[in-house]
Amino acid sequence: MGNTIETPEAQPLAEGSESDQAISKFRVKLSPTELEQLNKLWAERVGPATDKVDLGQFQTLASEAAHIFPELLALNEPAFVTQLFGVLDVDHSNSISHSELLGGLAILSKGTDIEKARLVFHIADKNGDGNLTKAELVEVMTSSVYNGQLLVCLKSGLSRDESERAWEATKTELQETINTAVSRIFDADDNNDGVLSEQEWINHCNSNTEIASLYKFCTGQFLEPASTSSTSSTLNETPLSKEELTAAAHKGD
């Protein structure tokens, strides 16, 4: 997939924030139909007698779960899924349990802003040091914006090849937008140490419109049009129109 990024070992969610039990409890947010579909998927791909999966199995399950949660396009992004695996592996066992999978998907699809903010923080924290740098945020934003634009392209009737060409034609311009958004996110750097702690991230997850917008990009969801949003985010403008994407896809033809 375009814009595949390197993914160092992720930092699991710490005790006191989202422990194994805390992640698992979020499965109650899933509807009976979603729960039935996910249980069936696990039974078919893993087996009802197996309670743990490794990274390869997790990537397969995540990709197929994207059909159950079509708004979570990020589940099709290998880099995102690899980081998600590391975050949910709270016991450092290099495996994910059935209940952790259910809880993780429930947070992504139905979690509150703070729940998603904490999950996204740990996904973005590539080196697991408990702080976010601008470079780490640029990486996760670039991947997320790519997913958002891809979904717009596909829903606009463009082929996968045309969608990739549209990305190549527009990514330089979009990168400038992403860099602007990251700069605004760092308004949350209260102690001006050049990194964002998890507490700073959570403290500003609602007041900083760029952080709030990132939740939806990281979960493959759309943002409200800038014209209908009372506090517009830089990222509101990143998914181009159907006409702009079609023109970009066929530029040079």
Side-chain angles (χ1 to χ4, degrees):
M1 176 176 286
N3 196 49
T4 300
I5 55 178
E6 295 290 328
T7 53
E9 182 179 356
Q11 169 76 7
L13 291 165
E15 292 290 335
S17 55
E18 305 287 3
S19 66
D20 181 12
Q21 182 178 359
I23 292 173
S24 300
K25 76 179 182 181
F26 283 102
R27 60 186 174 179
V28 300
K29 291 176 177 280
L30 298 171
S31 71
T33 298
E34 291 167 341
L35 192 58
E36 180 182 0
Q37 290 176 313
L38 289 170
N39 287 338
K40 180 180 179 181
L41 176 61
W42 184 281
E44 291 177 347
R45 296 292 180 265
V46 181
T50 303
D51 187 54
K52 295 275 189 176
V53 295
D54 60 19
L55 175 59
Q57 293 170 306
F58 182 75
Q59 289 174 326
T60 298
L61 290 170
S63 178
E64 296 198 29
H67 298 293
I68 301 172
F69 303 97
E71 74 278 12
L72 300 184
L73 186 67
L75 293 178
N76 290 308
E77 171 59 51
F80 176 89
V81 174
T82 298
Q83 285 298 118
L84 180 61
F85 180 89
V87 168
L88 297 180
D89 181 18
V90 295
D91 60 358
H92 307 275
S93 65
N94 292 317
S95 62
I96 298 296
S97 71
H98 183 203
S99 59
E100 287 171 338
L101 173 70
L102 297 180
L105 290 173
I107 293 173
L108 287 177
S109 62
K110 303 175 188 298
T112 66
D113 282 349
I114 290 179
E115 291 161 359
K116 289 181 179 180
R118 183 169 284 118
L119 185 63
V120 170
F121 179 92
H122 286 279
I123 289 174
D125 184 15
K126 298 298 179 72
N127 63 6
D129 67 354
N131 293 300
L132 295 185
T133 65
K134 288 186 177 181
E136 287 174 325
L137 277 172
V138 166
E139 279 198 36
V140 74
M141 273 196 164
T142 300
S143 178
S144 300
V145 171
Y146 167 82
N147 283 322
Q149 179 167 302
L150 177 62
L151 187 53
V152 172
C153 286
L154 296 177
K155 286 196 170 187
S156 297
L158 296 179
S159 68
R160 184 57 177 259
D161 180 64
E162 289 174 319
S163 301
E164 294 285 358
R165 289 166 62 186
W167 169 257
E168 290 299 320
T170 59
K171 67 180 181 180
T172 298
E173 178 183 350
L174 291 175
Q175 198 65 58
E176 294 176 1
T177 301
I178 290 168
N179 291 339
T180 298
V182 168
S183 294
R184 292 182 179 177
I185 283 177
F186 265 76
D187 289 343
D189 183 14
D190 293 328
N191 62 0
N192 297 312
D193 64 351
V195 295
L196 292 182
S197 67
E198 182 176 356
Q199 192 58 56
E200 288 173 328
W201 180 266
I202 296 300
N203 286 347
H204 292 271
C205 69
N206 288 316
S207 60
N208 187 302
T209 58
E210 303 293 352
I211 294 177
S213 296
L214 185 55
Y215 306 154
K216 293 186 178 181
F217 272 88
C218 280
T219 56
Q221 299 176 55
F222 288 120
L223 299 174
E224 295 179 0
S227 60
T228 63
S229 177
S230 58
T231 54
S232 179
S233 158
T234 304
L235 293 181
N236 280 108
E237 301 174 2
T238 54
L240 304 179
S241 69
K242 176 181 178 179
E243 292 74 17
E244 290 172 319
L245 290 169
T246 301
H250 293 282
K251 186 176 181 180
D253 287 356

